[in-house]
Amino acid sequence: MDTVVKKEQKKVEISSAEWQIMRIVWTLNDVTSSEIINLMQKKQTWSDSTIKTLITRLTKKRFLSREKENGRYIYSATVEEQATMNEYANGLFSNFCAHKSGSVLNELIDSMEISRSDIEILQNTLNEKIKTAPERVKCDCLPDGCSDMC
Ligand SMILES: [Zn+2]
């Protein structure tokens, strides 16, 4: 009998504090908890035990894996940074009214510091996107959608 191996779909539930830890691990790849604590305490006033708790939580949620090397644990990320950021942002926008998401996105772009090269990428994406874009995106807030209100 064929068995279909389903790729694990990990919902990105990471708190703001946990994101700070993940960003250190993504940047340095393999780190010990004391390295994380040292770097974290240059940015935040968190205690050692707070940071250790965050590392433990991320390990339990399997965003981090650890391996013992010369008597100490080396932590590394189990998920890719760009994909995790993308999923997190998608998850956030999926909470919003579809009709209003575009204006939220516009506000986001307007207020964010982005490089010229990223702006060029955005312009290219929009130039492609407008070719197949619908005239309007309907509100999906009610079970039957909205009538003509939006
Ligand atoms: Zn709506």
Side-chain angles (χ1 to χ4, degrees):
M1 212 166 78
D2 286 359
T3 49
V4 181
V5 181
K6 207 176 164 191
K7 201 182 161 215
E8 195 189 344
Q9 288 263 308
K10 204 177 314 189
K11 211 175 162 217
V12 183
E13 278 168 356
I14 305 178
S15 70
S16 296
E18 290 164 355
W19 271 104
Q20 301 293 316
I21 307 286
M22 289 306 292
R23 285 169 59 186
I24 289 176
V25 183
W26 276 319
T27 307
L28 299 178
N29 295 319
D30 299 316
V31 276
T32 63
S33 59
S34 44
E35 284 175 304
I36 297 173
I37 289 167
N38 277 337
L39 290 163
M40 213 57 249
Q41 287 176 343
K42 287 182 181 158
K43 294 167 82 180
Q44 305 281 354
T45 54
W46 300 341
S47 69
D48 289 23
S49 70
T50 300
I51 298 168
K52 278 182 186 155
T53 303
L54 293 168
I55 296 170
T56 305
R57 247 188 248 156
L58 286 164
T59 309
K60 278 189 184 148
K61 288 200 259 188
R62 291 197 279 149
F63 287 109
L64 292 181
S65 67
R66 58 176 202 180
E67 231 172 273
K68 208 160 200 168
E69 221 175 88
N70 302 323
R72 33 178 225 172
Y73 285 116
I74 308 287
Y75 291 88
S76 51
T78 62
V79 287
E80 207 251 320
E81 181 176 17
Q82 187 67 54
T84 307
M85 293 191 298
N86 291 347
E87 266 174 58
Y88 189 81
N90 273 322
L92 191 65
F93 270 78
S94 71
N95 292 326
F96 304 154
C97 169
H99 177 67
K100 292 165 187 150
S101 288
S103 64
V104 176
L105 198 55
N106 183 57
E107 174 59 33
L108 203 61
I109 291 168
D110 195 31
S111 61
M112 196 182 289
E113 185 173 53
I114 31 182
S115 67
R116 281 177 172 274
S117 64
D118 279 339
I119 291 172
E120 276 168 25
I121 292 168
L122 277 168
Q123 282 172 331
N124 287 337
T125 305
L126 291 174
N127 285 341
E128 279 309 304
K129 199 121 174 113
I130 202 165
K131 293 178 187 166
T132 53
E135 200 54 49
R136 39 195 269 116
V137 175
K138 280 193 173 163
C139 161
D140 54 356
C141 296
L142 300 178
D144 301 322
C146 66
S147 47
D148 288 324
M149 294 177 289
C150 42

